[in-house]
Amino acid sequence: MKNNYKIGIIGATGMVGQRFITLLYNHPWYTIEVLAASPRSAGKKYSDAVGKKWCMDGEIPENVRDMVVMDATADVEKIAGMVDFVFCAVDMKKDEIKALEERYAKAECPVVSNNSAHRHTPDVPMIIPEINPNHLEIIPSQRERLGTKRGFIAVKSNCSLQSYLPALAVVNMKYPVDHALVTTYQAISGAGKTFETWPEMVDNLIPYIGGEEMKSEVEPNKILGTIENGEIVPSKDLQIECQTYRVPVSNGHTAAIFFSFKDEKPSVDEIQNLWREYEGEPQKLGLPHAPKQFIYVYTEEEQPDQPQIKTAREIDGGMAISCGRLRESTQYDYKMVSMSHNTLRGAAGGAVLLAELLTAKGYMD
């Protein structure tokens, strides 16, 4: 592992790209070397390219304000020669994203992607760093397919999964969960919006988010799957049914979860202790963006009105998962509530933590 890695942000003018910039400012391992976006932004100073679209707290960091934006598609080979790896958060059609990310990988530039395009590619790991870090072992097989020595693609999962799957997955490691019913209440930033740009969401709730229910029902199976013959084979053990809502919240996805076990049913105390005591690879390695405690627990007896968005979303830099209201159900074994910050743990922060894991494991060298 080197002392410093030069990185690029592909899709730097969008909301997730902006979040990458704020997270990587003064990062102990990484230096932003390249910002890239669409042809209409290429050639401009970043501050001019993003203009009034800047929606992060605080001003644009000085280290990127005057950086000239490159063309994300036309300058692939040039960018690949300037950096050690890139983060990708582009707004393009799915087939175009797949092709673009493979171009970077084949140019021997590793790609850590926030996009969904490669989440179902069998040899592309989709990682929640605390849950399935072993899936990084698929990378040599992917490199063999791509014909690369350094280049590969690794992706993070859908942002709404982070609000509930970690809680289920940690319990599932000891007490197999059979099926779950999940309802997610998703912030408007998940659509790349603010209340200023989406005033229709004020005092409103939309009971539909295109594609989100399928992601919640399918992506967990890959995360919980196994590596066989150079592919990640999805698990068939945990069945999830999901309903999604867009709600008038700026940041933070909340989930209501009903779940039952295959065999032995642990007690409430046992489940809560599993959450409190769980330590994943990022915590063991002391990665810069790893939350000190992966899952925070609110008890029904002491804090039945938690977790709440305003009090829980920023815990440990917005990288922790918060769980509460765990209690017995009349139709399932248990019901509960959990939440996470969707643009930190769920998007850019989760990708940065994945990059840190990849770096610590030697995949960026």
Side-chain angles (χ1 to χ4, degrees):
M1 181 174 161
K2 302 190 298 185
N3 291 326
N4 189 265
Y5 294 78
K6 296 178 179 179
I7 63 98
I9 301 172
I10 312 303
T13 58
M15 182 177 285
V16 176
Q18 294 175 31
R19 182 66 78 181
F20 273 126
I21 287 172
T22 62
L23 289 172
L24 294 166
Y25 181 60
N26 287 333
H27 192 282
W29 298 355
Y30 306 143
T31 299
I32 300 174
E33 188 74 15
V34 170
L35 300 177
S38 66
R40 65 178 176 274
S41 297
K44 299 178 182 178
K45 290 183 179 179
Y46 182 73
S47 57
D48 294 331
V50 74
K52 294 181 179 179
K53 293 187 297 181
W54 180 258
C55 56
M56 299 291 107
D57 294 333
E59 300 294 323
I60 299 172
E62 291 184 6
N63 65 322
V64 301
R65 176 179 293 276
D66 295 329
M67 190 175 289
V68 176
V69 178
M70 299 182 69
D71 190 317
T73 54
D75 295 332
V76 170
E77 286 72 25
K78 185 176 181 180
I79 292 170
M82 297 171 64
V83 301
D84 292 298
F85 66 93
V86 297
F87 293 100
C88 189
V90 294
D91 182 12
M92 300 165 62
K93 294 179 180 178
K94 188 168 290 189
D95 58 344
E96 295 174 342
I97 295 173
K98 289 184 73 171
L100 181 65
E101 291 181 345
E102 287 209 358
R103 281 183 63 195
Y104 277 98
K106 289 180 178 179
E108 299 295 358
C109 180
V111 178
V112 179
S113 179
N114 185 72
N115 300 109
S116 64
H118 273 291
R119 287 179 189 161
H120 302 293
T121 303
D123 60 9
V124 171
M126 178 166 60
I127 303 290
I128 298 177
E130 286 89 349
I131 300 301
N132 62 330
N134 60 304
H135 282 192
L136 296 183
E137 297 169 11
I138 198 71
I139 289 175
S141 296
Q142 185 194 147
R143 282 173 168 162
E144 184 176 352
R145 174 178 64 85
L146 295 174
T148 61
K149 293 181 179 179
R150 284 192 74 247
F152 64 86
I153 302 161
V155 302
K156 51 158 292 299
S157 67
N158 178 260
C159 56
S160 66
L161 264 66
Q162 315 288 331
S163 66
Y164 68 88
L165 185 59
L168 288 178
V170 167
V171 176
N172 186 67
M173 292 175 186
K174 185 172 183 180
Y175 300 100
V177 179
D178 183 63
H179 59 283
L181 176 66
V182 178
T183 301
T184 59
Y185 303 88
Q186 301 183 207
I188 62 173
S189 55
K193 304 284 189 179
T194 64
F195 287 116
E196 288 73 24
T197 60
W198 201 4
E200 295 84 2
M201 273 307 303
V202 176
D203 193 31
N204 195 15
L205 182 150
I206 300 174
Y208 171 77
I209 307 173
E212 286 291 297
E213 287 155 10
M214 179 276 292
K215 292 172 185 176
S216 275
E217 293 173 353
V218 174
E219 289 185 19
N221 295 325
K222 183 174 181 179
I223 293 167
L224 300 176
T226 56
I227 296 175
E228 299 177 21
N229 300 317
E231 295 185 350
I232 298 171
V233 179
S235 171
K236 297 180 181 179
D237 294 331
L238 173 57
Q239 303 300 314
I240 294 176
E241 184 174 3
C242 183
Q243 170 74 41
T244 61
Y245 293 85
R246 187 71 71 190
V247 295
V249 169
S250 58
N251 292 297
H253 289 351
T254 299
I257 310 147
F258 300 77
F259 61 103
S260 293
F261 294 93
K262 288 185 183 298
D263 301 305
E264 183 181 357
K265 175 185 172 181
S267 69
V268 168
D269 286 342
E270 286 175 310
I271 294 173
Q272 291 175 336
N273 286 333
L274 286 173
W275 289 337
R276 290 190 187 98
E277 296 169 4
Y278 185 77
E279 191 177 52
E281 277 292 286
Q283 287 73 38
K284 293 174 184 176
L285 293 169
L287 300 180
H289 277 86
K292 292 183 178 64
Q293 186 171 324
F294 181 38
I295 299 177
Y296 279 73
V297 179
Y298 298 92
T299 65
E300 181 73 351
E301 296 77 19
E302 295 179 357
Q303 295 169 296
D305 61 345
Q306 297 289 345
Q308 294 181 18
I309 292 290
K310 285 189 175 181
T311 54
R313 65 186 170 194
E314 299 289 347
I315 294 175
D316 272 2
M319 292 298 290
I321 313 298
S322 295
C323 296
R325 304 227 63 205
L326 177 64
R327 60 217 192 275
E328 291 197 344
S329 166
T330 59
Q331 305 298 316
Y332 292 77
D333 285 337
Y334 288 109
K335 53 188 174 183
M336 60 172 287
V337 175
S338 64
M339 65 81 55
S340 64
H341 196 303
N342 59 297
T343 66
L344 289 170
R345 165 57 74 165
V352 171
L353 186 62
L354 170 54
E356 292 169 354
L357 178 64
L358 285 159
T359 303
K361 295 290 187 179
Y363 289 97
M364 299 304 193
D365 295 329

